[in-house]
Amino acid sequence: MAFDRLPARRAGIDTYQQPVVYLRSDCPVCRAEGFEAQTQVEVIAGHRHVLAILNHVTSDWLRSDEIALSEAAWSLLGVVDGEAVEVRHPPQLDSLAHLRAKVHGGKLGYEALRALMEDVSRGRVSDIHLASFVTVCAGGGLDFDETVALTKAMVDVGERIDWGTSPVMDKHCIGGLPGNRTTLLVVPVVTACGITMPKTSSRAITSAAGTADAMETLAPVALELSAMRRVVEREGGCIVWGGTTRISPADDMLIRVERPLSLDSEGLLVASILSKKAAVGSQRVLIDLPVGPQTKVRSAPAAGRLSHSLVSVGAALGLQVRTVLTDGSQPVGRGIGPALEAIDVMAVLERMPDAPADLRERALELAGLVLEMAGRAAMGSGRAMAREVLDDGRALAKFISICEAQGGLRIPPRAAHAHVVAAPASGVVQAIDTRLLSRVAKLAGAPRDPAAGATVHVRQGDRVELGQPLYSLHAESPGALRYALAFTRSQLPVARVEAGP
């Protein structure tokens, strides 16, 4: 079959990580090849191949003899405006037979999952097929052996780092708790003690800030693998965004379709976490499981089940995993949003008198456990060692050095507009709605606008008076601020205040 070549143009449409291409419905290629809307096509530019979803265009912004590419497709192909690309039907994927077998109740082994994850990591599997895989894995869809095999497969289809030293430590939080930015404190404390801790983190997907978003307001995080290695070799650790590496790339593709489905899949969660830890060369991993009514893990029994899976699957991969259950009933620190959370972190590192005590103590607890797992501190004495490293300034000095090695320390931005939400009555703060708080911070612009978000002024159990500040909203524009405020007035209160003594 002859390949059809068309000049490419940049559509300027953000489709997140999903490559999308646009052709006129009367395009000769569409007619000749029978390309229907929403079908998958293969686009080729030189040695680069991308599978993309085809959308039809009926207006005149696109000519019938050209093809437009979404931002994701444009970036993956690396083309320039007007460069000719080939468009054809995608190749048949043998791995989809394994997916069909799983849909019909079959059990998948390593080889089948490796073939499927190889195609997933290379962008060959459509979102429809990815969604069916995520769906069939939901609930108890993956047993222990399948979870281990999937985790190994996700590691093996990407890059894997060997640091040539031991122990290599890591710390992870499963998320779901606003302001819980302990990684930015744990890494400098641990590395200041001479322990290797390369930390790859994610950006926000459904929250107001991810670890990488907060760190990016303080230093560059989009480091290639070679640059990341140089930072770790120089400083012993790093805090970078995992999206610029090929560390467990299949996981990134699965997450993209998993989050909108909002399906509970313990097996996929375990594979996601541990595949990235194993791929980045970690050997001993501490995992923080916040437990609360609005977190990902809502009860101690559920946390126990997840903890068992993480530890046992980790052991099968040669990882020493330890979990710790922490309080997830209310936000950590004061800031919710990239820059606001970074400001909290710097206040703790600089030992400011008004630094959020809960963030400091939670970070010391986790750092102490990492030091004990690494064998640097005796059991039960890690927290005291972590406190000493923080209080004498070594953690701050190490954090500054890591930021400089990653490209330079930055000052977090401040939002141009703010509004204080005050207590509607005197009383006691009975609860803080963490989900609603995150949503309000996002409506104010976080994490798209790094300075946007919310600042919480109270804690559960605090006595407040009429008109006393409960929380503040921060936005880059008056419109975003008004929108967030309008939402808060139409919902249940973010902080519930009831009359009390």
Side-chain angles (χ1 to χ4, degrees):
M1 181 187 75
F3 296 152
D4 297 286
R5 299 176 65 85
L6 295 169
R9 60 179 288 189
R10 191 172 186 172
I13 300 174
D14 183 1
T15 54
Y16 189 41
Q17 295 176 349
Q18 172 66 67
V20 177
V21 297
Y22 306 87
L23 289 171
R24 282 275 294 269
S25 54
D26 59 352
C27 173
V29 174
C30 287
R31 292 179 174 178
E33 300 295 338
F35 290 149
E36 300 290 341
Q38 290 299 299
T39 58
Q40 191 178 50
V41 296
E42 184 176 27
V43 187
I44 305 169
H47 298 293
R48 295 192 177 188
H49 295 233
V50 170
L51 293 184
I53 297 298
L54 171 64
N55 283 346
H56 277 178
V57 175
T58 57
S59 63
D60 292 335
W61 71 267
L62 185 68
R63 300 197 316 265
S64 62
D65 63 345
E66 61 183 358
I67 182 172
L69 279 61
S70 71
E71 290 296 286
W74 187 268
S75 175
L76 289 169
L77 279 175
V79 294
V80 296
D81 201 47
E83 181 177 347
V85 300
E86 299 173 358
V87 188
R88 65 183 182 184
H89 288 281
Q92 280 294 118
L93 298 180
D94 295 336
S95 66
L96 293 184
H98 305 309
L99 174 55
R100 287 190 289 271
K102 182 63 179 172
V103 169
H104 289 288
K107 181 176 176 179
L108 300 184
Y110 171 79
E111 294 301 331
L113 287 165
R114 168 67 188 265
L116 183 58
M117 290 302 105
E118 183 73 44
D119 285 335
V120 169
S121 69
R122 296 183 180 277
R124 297 170 180 163
V125 180
S126 70
D127 277 10
I128 292 175
H129 289 109
L130 286 175
S132 66
F133 179 73
V134 168
T135 302
V136 78
C137 291
L142 291 174
D143 64 20
F144 174 78
D145 291 337
E146 287 178 305
T147 303
V148 172
L150 175 61
T151 309
K152 290 180 176 178
M154 291 167 70
V155 173
D156 292 343
V157 301
E159 300 281 352
R160 186 162 188 170
I161 305 175
D162 182 358
W163 297 103
T165 188
S166 183
V168 178
M169 307 303 297
D170 208 332
K171 170 261 173 190
H172 181 81
C173 178
I174 64 168
L177 187 60
N180 194 21
R181 210 50 61 214
T182 54
T183 291
L184 275 63
L185 296 165
V186 173
V187 170
V189 168
V190 171
T191 53
C193 294
I195 300 167
T196 302
M197 193 171 182
K199 187 71 180 79
T200 60
S201 300
S202 61
R203 295 189 184 277
I205 298 177
T206 59
S207 65
T211 297
D213 299 311
M215 181 64 180
E216 194 168 40
T217 69
L218 295 165
V221 297
L223 275 62
E224 299 291 342
L225 199 57
S226 58
M228 172 186 167
R229 182 180 288 277
R230 286 194 297 271
V231 173
V232 175
E233 289 173 348
R234 171 178 152 181
E235 299 297 337
C238 65
I239 306 170
V240 302
W241 176 45
T244 47
T245 65
R246 272 191 57 82
I247 294 173
S248 191
D251 180 50
D252 296 329
M253 306 295 284
L254 290 173
I255 287 174
R256 178 168 53 79
V257 299
E258 186 179 6
R259 294 299 174 86
L261 292 173
S262 297
L263 291 176
D264 179 21
S265 176
E266 183 176 293
L268 284 180
L269 175 62
V270 171
S272 172
I273 294 170
L274 296 184
S275 65
K276 288 192 170 177
K277 303 309 174 188
V280 81
S282 302
Q283 299 161 351
R284 304 175 192 177
V285 185
L286 177 70
I287 300 180
D288 177 13
L289 303 178
V291 181
Q294 295 174 327
T295 61
K296 293 181 181 179
V297 182
R298 301 186 182 182
S299 68
R305 291 190 296 271
L306 179 56
S307 175
H308 175 75
S309 295
L310 288 164
V311 172
S312 55
V313 173
L317 268 71
L319 296 174
Q320 179 186 335
V321 176
R322 179 176 177 180
T323 62
V324 56
L325 276 59
T326 56
D327 178 19
S329 62
Q330 60 182 323
V332 180
R334 289 188 289 266
I336 311 296
L340 296 167
E341 295 177 20
I343 290 169
D344 278 354
V345 167
M346 292 307 299
V348 173
L349 285 170
E350 294 172 348
R351 291 97 70 205
M352 302 295 290
D354 61 344
D358 59 333
L359 176 61
R360 171 188 162 91
E361 293 306 313
R362 186 179 292 244
L364 289 176
E365 177 187 5
L366 297 174
L369 291 173
V370 173
L371 291 172
E372 292 173 12
M373 289 182 69
R376 186 54 52 90
M379 294 298 294
S381 64
R383 189 186 190 112
M385 179 180 288
R387 179 177 289 107
E388 181 180 341
V389 173
L390 179 62
D391 288 346
D392 67 15
R394 279 180 284 166
L396 174 61
K398 175 55 73 173
F399 184 78
I400 292 173
S401 295
I402 289 173
C403 289
E404 294 296 343
Q406 290 185 197
L409 181 64
R410 299 167 172 169
I411 298 175
R414 300 275 184 170
H417 304 274
H419 181 86
V420 175
V421 177
S426 297
V428 176
V429 178
Q430 299 294 328
I432 299 176
D433 191 321
T434 56
R435 286 191 177 180
L436 189 56
L437 182 61
S438 291
R439 189 171 182 187
V440 170
K442 290 170 63 179
L443 289 173
R448 180 188 64 255
D449 297 327
T455 302
V456 184
H457 303 298
V458 295
R459 306 282 295 166
Q460 286 184 17
D462 284 358
R463 170 77 190 182
V464 296
E465 301 301 328
L466 172 66
Q468 182 177 331
L470 295 178
Y471 62 96
S472 299
L473 294 177
H474 307 264
E476 285 298 302
S477 69
L481 189 62
R482 285 195 300 270
Y483 189 59
L485 285 170
F487 175 80
T488 62
R489 291 167 183 148
S490 67
Q491 302 294 315
L492 295 171
V494 168
R496 191 176 79 246
V497 178
E498 296 181 1

